[in-house]
Amino acid sequence: MIADIEVREAGKKGLGVFALRGFARGEFIFRRRNGPAIRYEDLERVPAEQREHLTELDREHCAIVEPPGAYLNHSCEPNAMRSGVKVFAWRPIAAGDEVTIDYRLNAFGGDSWPCLCGAPSCTGTVVGSFFALDMAKQQAYLPYAPAFIRKEWRARLPHATLL
Ligand SMILES: [Zn+2]
């Protein structure tokens, strides 16, 4: 039980995580818990409903996200950010707001999925790759991205050492 959030219906998105109090920008919200690392090729042995709540750990491994973190929905303009398993407010969050993160932070496959987030910048389709984000977002998110994304970002952009 995490005192400051609750899981409840989030309309068409299914369940979502909601703030029970306000959070200031940068404030810690809760710690997400992941199951053990699973190699992608072993995923077929994982029950389908658990496969709906995966997080990419690196190019070889993912993990099943446990509740309540499993119910954090994606937004193209999220109000929260994740750094490893720590979820913190990216923007001020009011009590009652749904807490959302950007799934592209640690995504690399480029698979697309329909998006219901409703953000002004949302095209209705998310391309699941950090590198599909616009450059301003890549730079803003980079410090919180997992090591394998940061490494690939630097490799793709030799001038990044100047930033
Ligand atoms: Zn969206």
Side-chain angles (χ1 to χ4, degrees):
M1 181 64 199
I2 297 167
D4 296 332
I5 56 165
E6 69 173 359
V7 173
R8 59 179 163 83
E9 288 295 326
K12 288 182 183 153
K13 293 183 284 188
L15 295 173
V17 173
F18 290 81
L20 292 177
R21 65 168 176 88
F23 291 91
R25 184 187 156 101
E27 192 177 354
F28 173 79
I29 304 173
F30 75 109
R31 190 177 295 271
R32 212 163 77 150
R33 286 178 303 135
N34 295 337
I38 303 167
R39 298 188 72 86
Y40 289 107
E41 62 259 36
D42 295 332
L43 265 184
E44 58 197 39
R45 290 185 230 150
V46 175
E49 66 272 17
Q50 293 189 342
R51 267 183 265 147
E52 287 178 21
H53 301 291
L54 294 176
T55 187
E56 296 94 338
L57 299 177
D58 57 36
R59 285 198 168 265
E60 286 80 42
H61 302 89
C62 58
I64 294 164
V65 184
E66 295 178 7
Y71 300 110
L72 276 172
N73 285 315
H74 166 85
S75 172
C76 297
E77 301 288 342
N79 60 10
M81 177 60 68
R82 207 163 55 72
S83 177
V85 293
K86 278 187 257 176
V87 179
F88 64 92
W90 187 239
R91 294 189 271 117
I93 298 174
D97 283 356
E98 185 182 358
V99 178
T100 55
I101 58 173
D102 193 328
Y103 288 2
R104 295 170 291 191
L105 180 70
N106 59 324
F108 61 85
D111 291 346
S112 297
W113 68 84
C115 189
L116 300 169
C117 80
S121 69
C122 183
T123 61
T125 304
V126 182
V127 178
S129 170
F130 185 88
F131 303 98
L133 289 161
D134 68 49
M135 188 50 65
K137 274 213 169 102
Q138 289 187 30
Q139 290 180 354
Y141 288 3
L142 193 67
Y144 311 102
F148 79 98
I149 295 281
R150 295 200 308 270
K151 189 175 170 194
E152 184 166 335
W153 197 85
R154 287 191 298 267
R156 285 179 180 223
L157 293 172
H159 67 271
T161 52
L162 300 174
L163 296 171

